[in-house]
Amino acid sequence: MKPGSVAVVGAAETTQMGVIPDMSVIQLHADAALNTLKDCGLTPKDIDGVATAGESPVAISHYLGIKPTWVDGTSVGGCSFMLHVRHAAAAINEGLCSTVLITHGESGRSRIGAGGWGAAAASLAGQFEAPYGTSGPPSSFTIPVLRYMKDYGVTEEQLAMVAVVQREWAGRNPRASFRDPITVEDVLNSRIIAYPFHLLECCLVTDGGGALIMTSADRAKDFPTKPIYIIGTGESVESPMVSQMYDFHHSTAFQISGKKAFAEAGITPKDVDHLMVYDAFAHLPWYGLEGLGFCKPGEGPAFIAEGNTRPGGKLPLNTNGGGLSYMHSGMYGMYALQESVRQLRGTAPAQVPGAKISVAQGVGGMFAAAGTIIMANERP
Amino acid sequence: MADYRKPLPQPTPETKPFWDGTKSGELRLQRCQSCSHVYFPPRPFCPECASRSVEWFKASGKGTLHSYVINHRPAPGFDAPYAIAIVMLAEGVKMMTNMVGVEQTPEALKLDMPVEVTFEQATEDITLPKWRPVGGAA
């Protein structure tokens, strides 16, 4: 895409966050959508493009009373919303629609109106992974990490530090699920979920939603909100089975997606003020830092453990508290995008002073997919 | 066997030769007859060069322990804790599995230790490849 040609003009999350037992999945989408429409002074009748994952764009359009000229139902896991932003930018520039609503809602904790889990027995994952006792992301997403840790000489304390640092950020966010400070000892003493991962190194399971509204940069100046420009985008996919990712030391999808986004934006990691890396588990920020070029291979763990990403550090990372401490509904990518927008609007609870460029890196499935969105609050 | 309660694979036309192999005590992989690439999981063409000229062959059944987790939240039919392991086969492909004949502890499960395939009959139709340390427990 042409950097800065499209902007986010509306962004909001669900009214409540965390445990929302009185709302079904589709209503979480709608609650976030209504808050986002209000944020930028629009009504559903002003929307002509709809993108979503989990629910179908048909269901969301009809539920909100939208008659769109463009939809995108790309559903590749938690980074789907990064891909929606990218696809929406292309659609707006191509004239397929002018004002796109992207919605997310998930009843991860309460499971109200939510579907089931599990792979079909005839799928490749059903044949070659499920028989060995995988029981959801905690016992699959985590599988590459012992290989990574042995080859790069990483300690369990360094893995724990990821959770400790993100809790520092969460402590500054009133909407975060967990805000009390934790130590490395607290993390290592928490219940083992799937060795080497302890409870505090796994994401939360909560309810919530979020939505974005995008339009052309030329129209964006007529909105009451500060436009946040999309300056670089990337996406890729890798393997539907974590056991078959190309190399356990890095995410090939992260590398492809990140390279494309940085090239499009015409920037390097040195230009970035604020970073979000989808953290379903504590090793994800390592793969994000290295896959995007912020750190060399194997240097992510020390970079975080040495404090570079904590409040006051040179690269503020996951400033909402992340999936480990803020919230995680199942497809967290939307919340990473929301925090990038807040930081660039200057409205984040843990505001990074003067942040101008933010990168949001998403992962889908268990290293199955990736999406990268680079935003700026000044039009390039 | 009748009371096997763990998830079972459902073979498809493309994967049936693999499961027929395990049933007869043979671990089978595929090799491209055009570019010699060896790959897994099964498909009737080469993921490297897209050739449809591919053949099944009996794998060495040797490999090393590449990575794992020890799962404490059991899947249906499993008793926790148990390791979900990745074996790097001598042929250069990765395969998920369970380790047998060895304690399910970080101390016993050493990365890169040599392992060999063994077969565990689950039902009349399905036999799963599992792996064990070469020469008994480490």
Side-chain angles (χ1 to χ4, degrees):
Chain A
M1 67 167 290
K2 188 163 169 269
S5 57
V6 168
V8 173
V9 293
E13 296 174 344
T14 43
T15 310
Q16 299 173 70
M17 188 64 78
V19 182
I20 315 173
D22 58 348
M23 246 184 232
S24 68
V25 170
I26 195 165
Q27 183 55 33
L28 290 165
H29 281 259
D31 183 54
L34 294 172
N35 287 341
T36 304
L37 288 160
K38 188 178 176 197
D39 179 54
C40 59
L42 295 181
T43 76
K45 304 296 176 218
D46 300 310
I47 300 297
D48 60 1
V50 172
T52 193
E55 283 285 347
S56 126
V58 180
I60 297 301
S61 297
H62 189 260
Y63 196 70
L64 288 166
I66 296 167
K67 295 169 183 167
T69 63
W70 174 87
V71 296
D72 180 11
T74 301
S75 191
V76 292
C79 64
S80 298
F81 314 103
M82 279 79 176
L83 276 66
H84 296 155
V85 168
R86 185 166 202 246
H87 301 173
I92 291 166
N93 280 334
E94 188 63 20
L96 309 184
C97 54
S98 65
T99 314
V100 171
L101 171 69
I102 303 170
T103 71
H104 160 72
E106 212 165 1
S107 187
R109 168 64 64 184
S110 305
R111 312 297 303 163
I112 309 296
W117 294 95
S123 70
L124 289 174
Q127 292 184 66
F128 299 110
E129 289 194 340
Y132 303 108
T134 52
S135 54
S139 57
S140 344
F141 214 154
T142 49
I143 278 188
V145 85
L146 280 187
R147 180 82 260 158
Y148 176 103
M149 291 172 72
K150 178 177 179 183
D151 292 345
Y152 290 134
V154 176
T155 65
E156 288 191 44
E157 285 73 19
Q158 287 177 313
L159 186 62
M161 272 301 288
V162 177
V164 170
V165 169
Q166 291 195 196
R167 186 60 65 84
E168 292 178 14
W169 285 111
R172 299 165 186 232
N173 181 358
R175 271 162 69 90
S177 294
F178 291 122
R179 305 186 58 208
D180 294 338
I182 50 174
T183 64
V184 166
E185 288 68 36
D186 292 333
V187 176
L188 296 179
N189 288 331
S190 66
R191 187 158 51 90
I192 285 264
I193 298 296
Y195 170 84
F197 285 81
H198 304 79
L199 181 67
L200 294 176
E201 290 156 338
C202 302
C203 66
L204 308 166
V205 183
T206 56
D207 307 326
L212 297 169
I213 292 175
M214 294 170 59
T215 193
S216 68
D218 292 335
R219 273 187 77 211
K221 59 184 181 302
D222 300 329
F223 283 81
T225 46
K226 180 182 178 66
I228 304 303
Y229 300 96
I230 307 299
I231 64 168
T233 64
E235 69 187 272
S236 192
V237 294
E238 189 163 344
S239 164
M241 290 182 285
V242 70
S243 62
Q244 301 305 321
M245 68 187 289
Y246 297 116
D247 185 328
F248 282 2
H249 301 91
H250 63 257
S251 159
T252 301
F254 278 25
Q255 293 177 337
I256 293 171
S257 175
K259 187 177 176 190
K260 184 88 179 149
F262 276 90
E264 213 169 71
I267 64 165
T268 70
K270 285 196 300 290
D271 301 311
V272 174
D273 303 309
H274 170 251
L275 175 64
M276 298 297 292
V277 175
Y278 189 133
D279 58 324
F281 297 91
H283 59 315
L284 265 294
W286 301 344
Y287 284 73
L289 286 167
E290 295 168 22
L292 296 176
F294 288 93
C295 293
K296 295 196 177 102
E299 293 182 355
F303 186 79
I304 291 175
E306 286 162 5
N308 290 299
T309 62
R310 69 175 12 149
K314 68 180 178 190
L315 181 63
L317 169 70
N318 292 346
T319 50
N320 57 358
L324 297 179
S325 287
Y326 174 46
M327 82 84 65
H328 192 288
S329 57
M331 294 193 288
Y332 167 86
M334 174 57 81
Y335 307 96
L337 291 165
Q338 293 285 335
E339 177 67 6
S340 285
V341 171
R342 281 192 295 264
Q343 288 289 349
L344 295 180
R345 282 179 171 183
T347 60
Q351 182 62 43
V352 174
K356 287 191 167 67
I357 293 181
S358 174
V359 175
Q361 175 66 25
V363 68
M366 273 69 88
F367 285 121
T372 312
I373 298 298
I374 307 180
M375 304 184 200
N377 56 14
E378 290 168 3
R379 194 172 177 180
Chain B
M1 280 195 303
D3 62 349
Y4 190 84
R5 288 162 45 239
K6 299 174 182 176
L8 280 167
Q10 185 182 322
T12 59
E14 298 79 21
T15 63
K16 189 169 179 296
F18 178 87
W19 296 113
D20 287 346
T22 57
K23 197 172 160 182
S24 62
E26 206 174 279
L27 186 70
R28 295 178 185 162
L29 293 173
Q30 286 169 296
R31 180 191 295 122
C32 176
Q33 292 172 301
S34 300
C35 76
S36 303
H37 181 61
V38 175
Y39 61 91
F40 177 85
R43 74 210 81 170
F45 60 90
C46 172
E48 192 64 32
C49 75
S51 167
R52 290 176 191 260
S53 300
V54 296
E55 62 179 352
W56 288 93
F57 69 99
K58 183 182 173 185
S60 67
K62 305 289 185 194
T64 54
L65 180 59
H66 191 63
S67 201
Y68 65 90
V69 294
I70 301 174
N71 191 16
H72 287 248
R73 297 166 71 251
F78 282 79
D79 294 319
Y82 60 94
I84 302 169
I86 305 292
V87 168
M88 179 66 82
L89 278 67
E91 290 80 2
V93 302
K94 296 194 289 288
M95 198 175 279
M96 186 178 280
T97 193
N98 298 128
M99 295 298 299
V100 299
V102 57
E103 273 192 75
Q104 307 288 291
T105 62
E107 295 71 31
L109 296 166
K110 297 281 185 212
L111 288 198
D112 301 314
M113 70 181 184
V115 294
E116 62 190 7
V117 75
T118 179
F119 296 96
E120 201 173 279
Q121 190 178 7
T123 67
E124 198 173 311
D125 293 327
I126 294 293
T127 293
L128 296 172
K130 303 256 172 123
W131 294 72
R132 64 187 176 206
V134 172

